[in-house]
Amino acid sequence: MTSEAHHRAGSTAGPATFADAFRGALRGRGLTLERVCDHLALRGISVSPATLSHWQRGRSLPERPQSLRALRELEGILGQPPGALTSLLRAQRPRGRTPQAVQDLRSSRRLYGADSPVEQLLGASFERFNADLHALFIHDTIHLDARRRVGRTSVTQVVRAVRDGVDRLVVAHVLGQAGPPTLQVSCGRLGDVRFDAVGKCLIAEIHFGRPLAGNETAIISYTVLSGDGADVDHCYERGTRVDLREYLLHVHFDPAALPARCYRSYRESFHTDVRETRPVALDASHSAHLLPPKCPVGAHGVLWEWPDLPPGW
C-alpha cells in the first residue's frame, strides 16, 4: 500500500468552499501563517506555512491523519466553532475529484503500471482504490514449502480512515498460479472476491464490521493459501503507494528447500528494474526478514536464489 466563535467569513449563507472559510477565519483572527504554525507546534503538531497556504488557496485539502488533527486544532486557534471547518471539508470531497484523488490514481498507475491486472480487475473503482484509508503498518509472513512455492501468505494491516464512513479495505495480490487461491480472514469479514486467471491476480474486499469515523484505526488479518498449480517462487514484494510508517516482511523456508542466497530489494514500481539489493542472512529458523528504517513509495521485498537454478529462473 492513510481531519474553532466570534467571526465567520462570507455571507449569511456561509462560505462556498473550505478554502473560503479557512481564508476568512485567518483574516478574522489576524494571524500570519507562520504564527499559526507556531500555535500548532505548541500542541505537538508540525505543519508548514506552505501547506497552510495551499489549503487557503484551494490547491489542496487536508487529507492525511496529521493534517486532519491539525485542522481540528485550527478551529480552536482561529476562534471557530468545533466542526466549522471540518464539516465543509467533508461536504466538499464528494463533489468531484480532489487533488488527492487525482494523486491516488496517478500513484496507483505509477506503482502497478498502465492497464495492470489489478486495474483490469478493479475496473472503474481503481481510481479510488483505498483512497480513503491510510496504511500505517503492514506485516507479511510468507511460508515456502518443500517444492519451493509460496504456500501460505499471512497479512496483518493497521489502517486509518481519512474520512467518516469507510467500511472496508481492498487487498490485491498477484500470484504465481492460474487457479484461484483460498482466502481465510481472521480479523475482519470477507466480502467480494475476484480472481483473474490470465493476470493471476486476486482482489478481495475485507469489511471492518462497521463504518469508521475519521482518524479511527482498524486491524485486518487474513491468509492466502496457494493451490497445487503454483509456480516455483524467487521473490516476494509488497507495493505501497504511500510512505509506510512500518513494514515487516518475514519469509520462512522449508528445511528441505533452502535458498543459496537471499537479498532485500527495492524498486520504484512493479514494472521497473530492481534499484537496490542487499544480502540478507538466514537465521536459525531458516527464515529471512525485512524491516526497512524507511518505507517509501515503491515495491519492497526479499529475493532469493535456489542453489541448482540460475538466478531468476
Side-chain angles (χ1 to χ4, degrees):
M1 8 233 161
T2 194
S3 343
E4 352 196 333
H6 69 277
H7 180 276
R8 289 196 181 189
S11 66
T12 56
T17 66
F18 167 79
D20 293 336
F22 187 39
R23 282 197 307 273
L26 286 168
R27 287 196 300 268
R29 202 64 169 173
L31 295 174
T32 65
L33 297 182
E34 289 76 11
R35 187 59 182 151
V36 171
C37 290
D38 291 341
H39 280 289
L40 289 171
L42 292 174
R43 292 161 170 81
I45 301 173
S46 177
V47 175
S48 69
T51 296
L52 297 181
S53 177
H54 288 331
W55 293 355
Q56 72 166 342
R57 294 164 63 187
R59 295 184 60 184
S60 65
L61 294 173
E63 294 279 353
R64 296 182 179 274
Q66 177 81 349
S67 297
L68 295 172
R69 181 185 168 210
L71 183 57
R72 289 197 299 271
E73 294 292 339
L74 280 170
E75 289 176 334
I77 293 170
L78 299 177
Q80 300 294 300
L85 297 177
T86 52
S87 62
L88 287 171
L89 183 64
R90 292 167 186 156
Q92 188 171 337
R93 285 186 185 128
R95 293 179 188 167
R97 192 182 296 171
T98 65
Q100 181 67 31
V102 173
Q103 181 61 36
D104 284 338
L105 176 59
R106 291 175 180 174
S107 62
S108 295
R109 288 200 173 130
R110 188 179 301 119
L111 177 64
Y112 291 105
D115 201 30
S116 65
V118 174
E119 182 172 0
Q120 292 182 38
L121 207 53
L122 283 171
S125 63
F126 183 77
E127 182 174 345
R128 295 291 297 167
F129 178 29
N130 290 332
D132 297 320
L133 291 168
H134 183 75
L136 300 178
F137 167 81
I138 301 178
H139 180 189
D140 291 332
T141 302
I142 313 303
H143 289 267
L144 282 93
D145 59 24
R147 289 183 286 179
R148 304 176 176 181
R149 310 171 313 168
V150 173
R152 184 168 82 252
T153 302
S154 297
V155 180
T156 297
Q157 288 199 45
V158 179
V159 296
R160 186 188 302 277
V162 300
R163 65 166 180 84
D164 293 342
V166 187
D167 64 355
R168 72 197 66 183
L169 172 73
V170 178
V171 301
H173 289 268
V174 177
L175 308 169
Q177 63 183 67
T182 300
L183 189 62
Q184 300 174 342
V185 176
S186 55
C187 189
R189 180 174 56 82
L190 185 61
D192 182 45
V193 178
R194 283 166 277 174
F195 182 75
D196 175 17
V198 176
K200 300 180 179 180
C201 180
L202 169 73
I203 298 291
E205 294 180 348
I206 302 181
H207 296 255
F208 304 132
R210 60 177 177 80
L212 301 181
N215 276 339
E216 188 175 4
T217 56
I219 299 177
I220 290 295
S221 294
Y222 63 94
T223 298
V224 180
L225 300 174
S226 300
D228 293 334
D231 300 329
V232 171
D233 285 295
H234 296 266
C235 69
Y236 180 88
E237 295 180 293
R238 161 67 66 173
T240 177
R241 296 167 294 163
V242 298
D243 296 343
L244 286 177
R245 180 181 298 176
E246 187 170 333
Y247 175 55
L248 172 61
L249 170 58
H250 196 186
V251 182
H252 295 263
F253 294 93
D254 190 285
L258 297 179
R261 285 167 292 277
C262 288
Y263 307 89
R264 55 178 292 184
S265 70
Y266 169 75
R267 52 181 175 159
E268 294 176 345
S269 70
F270 286 121
H271 54 93
T272 58
D273 293 334
V274 173
R275 197 179 77 177
E276 175 188 343
T277 60
R278 295 181 186 177
V280 177
L282 294 185
D283 59 22
S285 301
H286 313 301
S287 71
H289 76 275
L290 168 69
L291 183 64
K294 293 183 179 180
C295 196
V297 172
H300 302 261
V302 171
L303 317 176
W304 53 87
E305 298 175 4
W306 298 113
D308 53 349
L309 295 176
W313 182 87

